[in-house]
Amino acid sequence: MCAQVVKFRKRKAELPARRRAPVAPPQKACDDKSSSKFHFWVGASGDRYIHTIHTLFDCPELDTANYLLVRRNDAGTPVVLAAAYTSHTAPSLNLAEVRHLGATLGANEVHVHFLAGSHQQAKLVAYDLRAGQMPHAQPTTSEVRH
């Protein structure tokens, strides 16, 4: 974690100049109709989890993380196809598993939640999201091993 000291007098003096400068539009995570690169998903417990949105092919290597494999339909509505967590210590293996499962299910987005502190917490988040977003889903093959 890092911190930054902000001197408000200096910022206040810069404010009018910054307001006149053109603002770049927010970057989209995919080329279709998504409106931002972040999305909150709600679990069965009512807890909200923030996820970073990536296309299936642009997803970075993942350490300990939860992920949702999502298919965004033609209307722009995201549909969760799988909710899981990374199970390998090698980030490249986690990425390979995510891409393989995503391609198998027909996903076009990966929504990644990085805030689970441990493997056990990642499991709980995955189960909560699966129960909240896909109440009739079966566990993925990577979760049967644990």
Side-chain angles (χ1 to χ4, degrees), residues 25-54:
Q27 292 182 348
K28 293 186 179 183
C30 23
D31 293 333
D32 56 1
K33 299 175 183 174
S34 64
S35 60
S36 74
K37 63 180 184 174
F38 299 105
H39 189 86
F40 281 96
W41 290 97
V42 180
S45 67
D47 290 342
R48 291 170 25 115
Y49 304 96
I50 190 164
H51 287 72
T52 306
I53 302 172
H54 302 280

Side-chain angles (χ1 to χ4, degrees), residues 57-107:
F57 300 109
D58 293 332
C59 186
E61 293 184 347
L62 302 173
D63 285 321
T64 302
N66 290 87
Y67 62 92
L68 298 174
L69 294 171
V70 175
R71 173 88 181 148
R72 193 169 295 269
N73 63 24
D74 294 335
T77 306
V79 177
V80 177
L81 304 174
Y85 54 93
T86 56
S87 58
H88 301 286
T89 56
S92 59
L93 286 175
N94 290 328
L95 178 58
E97 188 172 277
V98 167
R99 285 185 176 163
H100 175 73
L101 185 58
T104 302
L105 296 174

